[in-house]
Amino acid sequence: MFSLMHSSSVLGVEGKEISVEVDIANGLPQVSVVGLPDPAVRESVERVRAAIKNSGFAFPLERITVNLAPADLRKEGTAFDLAIAAGILTASGQLEAKPFEQSMLIGELSLNGDIRPVPGVLAMIEQAKRSGIRKVLLPLANAKEAAWITEMELYAVTHLKELLTQHKGTEAWSDIRFDAAASRELASAAAAEEHAVDIGDYSDVYGQQQAKRALLIAAAGKHNILELCNIVMQNTTFKIQHRKHISHIYRRKKGDASLHHL
């Protein structure tokens, strides 16, 4: 039987949609992963095998071929684990494929079935949105980060076993739906509270009009500015003025022995 899942990887700083195709056929029990996988992706076979068994499912004792398309793009990372596991379970008839249609699956599997977070989630989900995919199944630990991408349906899971209760149809996905809007509001409120510190105002600074104007212009235009220690600035100014003062006196009283006392 054949199953198709959608996943993603990060290429540079951008997300790249990856199709995870799983085919189960008669033959000697073995799993082949093709499509330029790196060592971490090839090792996913053992992680997926153990996770499926330890989550109450049965790992098929048949010939399994996993293709990561496009085949000419090198696949890196562990974000394909969840998609590969779901593909094997749907192809073997242990899960229905309908809930996974037009959905992106992201997550790393541990041997006991826990779903671990992966890096680059923002880029992956942004790419899913550009591709027209609106449903994303991802680790709960990545859900808050993913919530910053608007107009997406996020479904957060912590264990592969949770997919067992989602096989009756699309409506069952509501049990693991993540409230992205509420997460964004809480994150914004927490950030505002964290930065709500009384740092004073330029009006509290006496004088220094040129310095204040320079800082205001830099802040308004988002320019860089080099700030030196006040003591260093004062000492430097004092030394320059003192040197000018001595030079002025020397020009007026050249040859006066009293200059040695200055």
Side-chain angles (χ1 to χ4, degrees):
M1 295 194 56
F2 174 80
S3 178
L4 173 63
M5 297 289 158
H6 298 281
S7 188
S8 183
S9 65
V10 177
L11 181 62
V13 296
E14 296 183 353
K16 185 69 175 179
E17 183 183 352
I18 303 297
S19 297
V20 180
E21 303 171 347
V22 178
D23 180 73
I24 300 179
N26 295 329
L28 294 176
Q30 70 175 38
V31 182
S32 301
V33 180
V34 297
L36 287 181
D38 75 343
V41 178
R42 287 195 295 267
E43 292 172 354
S44 67
V45 173
E46 302 305 324
R47 292 193 298 271
V48 169
R49 188 197 309 273
I52 287 177
K53 290 182 178 180
N54 293 326
S55 300
F57 299 101
F59 192 85
L61 297 178
E62 297 174 276
R63 182 181 179 85
I64 302 175
T65 303
V66 179
N67 179 42
L68 305 177
D72 60 344
L73 178 67
R74 185 167 180 79
K75 317 304 185 303
E76 300 178 348
T78 58
F80 309 111
D81 288 7
L82 184 58
I84 293 174
I88 292 174
L89 293 175
T90 54
S92 61
Q94 299 181 69
L95 289 178
E96 291 185 5
K98 185 177 180 180
F100 298 96
E101 293 178 356
Q102 293 300 312
S103 301
M104 177 171 286
L105 284 72
I106 302 170
E108 175 186 341
L109 288 174
S110 64
L111 298 184
N112 65 348
D114 289 335
I115 301 178
R116 294 172 174 168
V118 294
V121 167
L122 279 179
M124 296 178 187
I125 297 182
E126 187 176 7
Q127 175 59 39
K129 184 177 181 179
R130 288 197 298 263
S131 302
I133 297 176
R134 290 293 181 267
K135 294 168 57 180
V136 180
L137 186 68
L138 77 170
L140 180 61
N142 287 128
K144 290 183 179 180
E145 177 185 0
W148 291 109
I149 305 298
T150 59
E151 301 177 1
M152 298 294 290
E153 297 181 18
L154 303 180
Y155 300 90
V157 289
T158 58
H159 198 279
L160 187 63
K161 190 183 301 183
E162 297 177 19
L163 298 181
L164 185 62
T165 61
Q166 312 300 327
H167 73 285
K168 295 182 180 180
T170 307
E171 296 180 356
W173 285 78
S174 59
D175 297 340
I176 56 175
R177 177 131 186 206
F178 185 79
D179 193 342
S183 176
R184 287 194 297 270
E185 291 179 2
L186 289 174
S188 299
E193 183 178 354
E194 180 180 354
H195 292 86
V197 180
D198 185 11
I199 58 176
D201 189 85
Y202 286 156
S203 61
D204 299 329
V205 180
Y206 180 78
Q208 305 294 335
Q209 296 300 325
Q210 290 183 342
K212 289 192 289 186
R213 179 171 174 76
L215 292 173
L216 286 171
I217 293 174
K222 296 182 179 179
H223 305 301
N224 297 325
I225 189 167
L226 176 63
E227 295 184 14
L228 301 177
C229 177
N230 291 334
I231 298 177
V232 174
M233 293 175 65
Q234 291 173 1
N235 288 343
T236 303
T237 303
F238 172 77
K239 289 178 182 178
I240 293 174
Q241 291 177 348
H242 186 61
R243 190 177 299 113
K244 288 182 179 179
H245 179 66
I246 293 178
S247 176
H248 177 68
I249 296 177
Y250 180 76
R251 286 197 298 269
R252 292 181 56 188
K253 301 181 179 180
K254 187 175 182 180
D256 191 340
S258 63
L259 288 176
H260 296 289
H261 300 289
L262 292 177

